[in-house]
Amino acid sequence: MRKNSTGNRVMVMALSGMMMAGGIAACNLPVQAASYNYGRALSESIMFYEFQKSGKLPSTQRNNWRGDSGLKDGADHNVDLTGGWYDAGDMVKFNLPMSYSAAMLAWSYIDGKSYYRKSGQDKYILDEIKWVNDYLMKCHTGDNEFYYQVGSGSLDHASWTAAEVMQMDRPSYKITMDNPGSAVTAEAAASLASCALAYKDTDSAYAAKCLAHAKSLVTFSEKMKSDAGYQKQAGGYYTSSSFYDDISWANMWIYLATGDKSYLKAAENYSSGWGTENQSSDISYKWTQCWDDVHYGAELLMAENDSSAAGKKYKTAIENNLDYWTTGKDGAKVKYTPKGLAWLDQWGSLRYAAAEAFLASEYADWNSADQDLAKTCEKFAKSQADYILGSSGRSYLIGYDSTSPTQPHHRTAHGGWENNCAGAPEKSRHLLVGAMVGGPGSNDDYSDVRTDYVSNEVADDYNAGCVALMGKMYQDYGGTIDSNLNADETVGEELYLEDGINAQDKTNASSFIEVKAVVYNHTAWPARVTDKLSYRYFVDISDALKAGYKASDFKVTSNYTQD
Ligand code: CA
């Protein structure tokens, strides 16, 4: 009957109409576990990335509500940029946080192969790592050319529809020598090199391909030494503060993948560009590993892998950072909430705690760690993991238990049709299993409200630290894994009509009945742009036949169709 995208409704006034009813979507929440189940948290937090996938989705996906989307990405430049992950609750593909997240997942896997295999989660995390790196290789269209973003922040954020039915233009943007972006190219190099290391044993050809791209990208990044071009589109969303950290991080991963010491040397050389604390020569220690500053991860890897005198500098640097987050450094310490979350910042407070807790756990597992600090780190890591899972009285991991959030700031999970975050339906139609939300304010204050994007957005980079942390917790404390974990849902009400009699006159031979019918597209399993919708309207004309009329005496007309 008409083309219709989700979010719109169609009104047809004609001699027709029919009502259809559907069920209501239901999501089953597990009963709260007696103690924290790190196995569940690990497997669910990996699953989150399945909901973030852009492009043609694999048949192996474990849910029935995500569909293909972004299939024309890159078409504006005649390149195939399909794939990758959407960034958060929106649908821009920002390659800086995406690459950061994939590198963190790879680090988690490389460091924890034994527990990934034991838990059966190796195939899922490896699939996600590959998904991103396949996309990053598509973005790397020449030695000195790299697409760093698909979708415009302003165009994308003006919309509130599911990924599968988005209608806005999705321009793609590239880095060249004339439009430089060293952080994003180096971050992609780090992702590709860590991916190469993750795949080295199982698919050496793929690993070699990733590594070749990584080397080319880091060379490109070092030639540019500028983020001026990148900031034009990504600035304001993921503004880059510095690229020195990214270049060190990338070189470090290439060193680990190749053993070629020139990369270790380069990683250390670029550390001269890392920030220092005010009025001090100490390498900055008052933040943590995140998409904008990966020097924390780099210095830990450098400490672990450089046993020379030069490596000591990085051991001191990471220990300063771990002190700051735990017992304090020179009288200064990160803020803690009353219920025990190490609280660095309002925006996505949990992601910082999760990332730092992973670093702490990683440090504690290092055989050259300071033993007292290692013990402190173990306690700290567990306390932060437990905070995420429920020690404050509620969980912040969606799907984990009955206290978990259900209303994240995520368009596709909302499944709305009004192009409005605050619009219908009030409750999200899908359960975004495994997403860790932004988190509480500094007084453990939090409300599970979709419009509160500061505390209730979810993002690729938020979950990266969470996965890595939960992997460590599973290694240390165990947990159970549901090998049949899936996010399949009962399909709710999708396509239906409302109708009613608009006007009628039955008094004479030219009598009529006019029916108004509205066709709704509320599809969400997955959301679909629909066309050729039809419905039937049945009229009992037996009285007319008895009175001597024939079927041909009836006329069917449409006097108004919205489309
Ligand atoms: Ca950076």
Side-chain angles (χ1 to χ4, degrees):
M1 181 156 291
R2 68 152 298 192
K3 285 186 179 172
N4 180 25
S5 53
T6 294
N8 296 332
R9 63 181 198 173
V10 184
M11 193 166 75
V12 179
M13 284 164 65
L15 186 63
S16 57
M18 186 171 75
M19 289 290 280
M20 286 171 66
I24 301 298
C27 302
N28 296 321
L29 288 170
V31 176
Q32 180 156 21
S35 61
Y36 301 113
N37 183 347
Y38 304 113
R40 182 179 188 96
L42 174 63
S43 55
E44 290 187 339
S45 56
I46 295 169
M47 181 185 266
F48 163 71
Y49 291 101
E50 292 188 30
F51 305 118
Q52 298 302 95
K53 281 186 164 126
S54 178
K56 174 90 184 143
L57 299 187
S59 59
T60 51
Q61 75 161 349
R62 294 174 290 173
N63 70 78
N64 62 345
W65 56 271
R66 278 304 326 281
D68 299 344
S69 62
L71 297 176
K72 292 178 182 164
D73 285 1
D76 58 328
H77 287 105
N78 292 316
V79 288
D80 173 12
L81 300 179
T82 58
W85 291 326
Y86 296 123
D87 179 57
D90 60 351
M91 282 123 205
V92 183
K93 296 194 291 198
F94 288 112
N95 289 9
L96 180 59
M98 195 197 306
S99 301
Y100 160 77
S101 306
M104 290 299 287
L105 294 189
W107 189 3
S108 174
Y109 171 75
I110 291 159
D111 189 64
K113 279 183 192 169
S114 61
Y115 57 79
Y116 273 105
R117 283 178 191 143
K118 182 184 157 202
S119 65
Q121 299 306 296
D122 49 342
K123 60 178 178 287
Y124 299 118
I125 197 164
L126 281 168
D127 277 354
E128 294 304 334
I129 294 165
K130 185 171 190 292
W131 185 263
V132 169
N133 286 286
D134 285 349
Y135 163 75
L136 293 176
M137 287 192 277
K138 287 181 181 177
C139 291
H140 190 204
T141 44
D143 277 338
N144 294 337
E145 190 174 278
F146 178 70
Y147 284 87
Y148 66 97
Q149 184 172 324
V150 179
S152 139
S154 55
L155 292 177
D156 185 273
H157 293 186
S159 170
W160 189 266
T161 57
E164 293 81 4
V165 294
M166 60 184 169
Q167 303 289 312
M168 80 293 281
D169 286 340
R170 291 175 59 77
S172 51
Y173 304 96
K174 67 182 171 184
I175 297 297
T176 60
M177 288 303 292
D178 296 332
N179 195 55
S182 288
V184 70
T185 46
E187 200 60 47
S191 175
L192 285 155
S194 58
C195 178
L197 199 50
Y199 272 90
K200 207 172 179 178
D201 301 336
T202 53
D203 188 344
S204 57
Y206 183 69
K209 200 175 144 194
C210 291
L211 191 57
H213 280 278
K215 287 178 175 177
S216 169
L217 277 163
V218 84
T219 302
F220 181 30
S221 175
E222 290 177 57
K223 274 197 277 189
M224 292 182 284
K225 287 199 184 65
S226 166
D227 281 329
Y230 167 85
Q231 312 281 30
K232 285 183 209 161
Q233 276 306 318
Y237 300 96
Y238 287 95
T239 307
S240 168
S241 307
S242 171
F243 51 80
Y244 288 97
D245 57 312
D246 306 272
I247 295 179
S248 288
W249 169 244
N251 274 294
M252 201 56 209
W253 280 113
I254 297 174
Y255 168 63
L256 293 173
T258 61
D260 180 342
K261 289 215 163 173
S262 67
Y263 290 100
L264 174 63
K265 196 166 182 300
E268 295 186 353
N269 285 343
Y270 280 97
S271 73
S272 63
W274 300 354
T276 54
E277 291 301 330
N278 280 343
Q279 299 178 320
S280 157
S281 59
D282 288 344
I283 292 170
S284 303
Y285 57 78
K286 292 183 177 173
W287 205 258
T288 189
Q289 176 80 345
C290 62
W291 61 265
D292 191 32
D293 192 352
V294 286
H295 94 261
Y296 295 95
E299 71 193 9
L300 179 51
L301 290 176
M302 286 153 74
E304 287 177 341
N305 291 285
D306 182 359
S307 53
S308 73
K312 292 231 168 46
K313 178 178 162 189
Y314 306 108
K315 183 169 187 277
T316 302
I318 191 67
E319 287 173 348
N320 286 345
N321 170 249
L322 293 167
D323 284 343
Y324 179 75
W325 278 79
T326 56
T327 52
K329 162 73 180 155
D330 296 338
K333 191 170 132 176
V334 74
K335 185 180 176 69
Y336 274 74
T337 67
K339 291 181 178 173
L341 174 67
W343 193 93
L344 182 69
D345 190 69
Q346 184 73 28
W347 278 83
S349 55
L350 293 173
R351 70 168 138 174
Y352 297 119
E356 183 68 19
F358 167 69
L359 296 185
S361 198
E362 174 75 11
Y363 174 85
D365 286 347
W366 177 32
N367 55 18
S368 297
D370 175 272
Q371 285 310 294
D372 287 341
L373 180 56
K375 284 196 190 82
T376 301
C377 282
E378 279 174 7
K379 261 193 235 167
F380 167 76
K382 186 172 187 303
S383 71
Q384 301 307 297
D386 289 354
Y387 188 96
I388 292 164
L389 298 181
S391 67
S392 74
R394 67 158 309 131
S395 170
Y396 290 97
L397 188 69
I398 298 178
Y400 178 76
D401 70 15
S402 58
T403 69
S404 300
T406 58
Q407 307 301 317
H409 187 82
H410 191 279
R411 283 185 219 156
T412 307
H414 180 201
W417 48 82
E418 295 186 343
N419 198 20
N420 182 355
C421 175
E426 185 190 347
K427 297 292 180 192
S428 296
R429 298 170 95 196
H430 306 297
L431 193 65
L432 196 64
V433 176
M436 182 184 74
V437 297
S442 60
N443 286 312
D444 303 299
D445 48 305
Y446 168 81
S447 51
D448 184 18
V449 174
R450 186 183 312 112
T451 48
D452 182 355
Y453 49 82
V454 176
S455 62
N456 228 26
E457 183 144 31
V458 298
D460 297 339
D461 73 297
Y462 290 14
N463 254 61
C466 180
V467 168
L469 172 61
M470 295 307 166
K472 288 287 194 185
M473 295 299 103
Y474 178 76
Q475 168 195 253
D476 292 346
Y477 306 101
T480 55
I481 300 278
D482 175 3
S483 55
N484 294 316
L485 178 68
N486 69 73
D488 287 338
E489 299 173 349
T490 304
V491 176
E493 187 172 57
E494 292 208 298
L495 293 162
Y496 66 99
L497 302 187
E498 283 178 357
D499 80 330
I501 293 172
N502 215 34
Q504 58 183 324
D505 179 354
K506 294 183 182 173
T507 57
N508 56 56
S510 62
S511 66
F512 71 94
I513 177 165
E514 183 182 277
V515 172
K516 172 184 170 179
V518 183
V519 186
Y520 291 92
N521 174 356
H522 290 184
T523 55
W525 285 270
R528 306 180 293 281
V529 173
T530 52
D531 64 2
K532 300 187 180 66
L533 293 177
S534 64
Y535 55 87
R536 297 177 185 190
Y537 191 81
F538 294 89
V539 180
D540 180 348
I541 60 169
S542 54
D543 284 352
L545 296 178
K546 274 183 206 156
Y549 294 104
K550 301 185 293 294
S552 57
D553 292 325
F554 289 81
K555 282 184 193 160
V556 181
T557 59
S558 171
N559 62 12
Y560 173 75
T561 305
Q562 190 185 47
D563 185 346

